[in-house]
Amino acid sequence: MAVLCVMLPDDLERKVDLEARLTGRSRSEILREAIARLVARRDRERFIAEYIAEATAGYYNPMLRREAIRIAGEFDSAESEPSDLAGGGDPQERSPADSSEKWWE
């Protein structure tokens, strides 16, 4: 494990010391956890920023936008097909109470 020398303002040092006493952990543990959380949060923020930049670039690219609209249209038509493929119609047309057939058969 690497050793780092970090200078902290007095008030932050007091807060770290208090946290260490309250939790029964060392100052090093407190600082390792804080740094790990900061780095993870920054990684997420960078990922989200890159994702948004890619989505924005795609939105303003006419060719990609047309392709996305075409694909979305295919999903819209596919969403209306399952009842036709399953042989069912309107689920309100019949209920298990109206039929001697069990709903699961």
Side-chain angles (χ1 to χ4, degrees), residues 19-78:
E19 182 65 21
R21 276 195 310 277
L22 292 173
T23 61
R25 297 164 54 205
S26 69
R27 294 189 314 176
S28 292
E29 285 180 87
I30 302 297
L31 294 173
R32 274 193 298 273
E33 179 184 337
I35 292 168
R37 286 183 182 195
L38 172 68
V39 170
R41 189 182 81 219
R42 296 270 172 90
D43 283 345
R44 273 192 312 277
E45 290 170 355
R46 276 190 286 278
F47 173 79
I48 291 169
E50 289 172 14
Y51 185 84
I52 290 170
E54 288 291 324
T56 301
Y59 180 81
Y60 288 110
N61 180 319
M63 188 172 67
L64 287 177
R65 192 156 183 227
R66 280 192 300 276
E67 179 69 5
I69 291 169
R70 183 189 65 74
I71 291 169
E74 290 175 7
F75 278 103
D76 284 344
S77 64

Side-chain angles (χ1 to χ4, degrees), residues 3-4 6 10 24 28 34 50 58 91-92 95 105:
V3 177
L4 299 176
V6 179
D10 292 341
S28 292
E50 289 172 14
Q92 300 300 322
S95 69
E105 295 180 342

Side-chain angles (χ1 to χ4, degrees), residues 68-94:
I69 291 169
R70 183 189 65 74
I71 291 169
E74 290 175 7
F75 278 103
D76 284 344
S77 64
E79 287 177 357
S80 63
E81 294 175 8
S83 63
D84 297 336
L85 294 174
D90 183 4
Q92 300 300 322
E93 286 181 7
R94 63 173 239 222

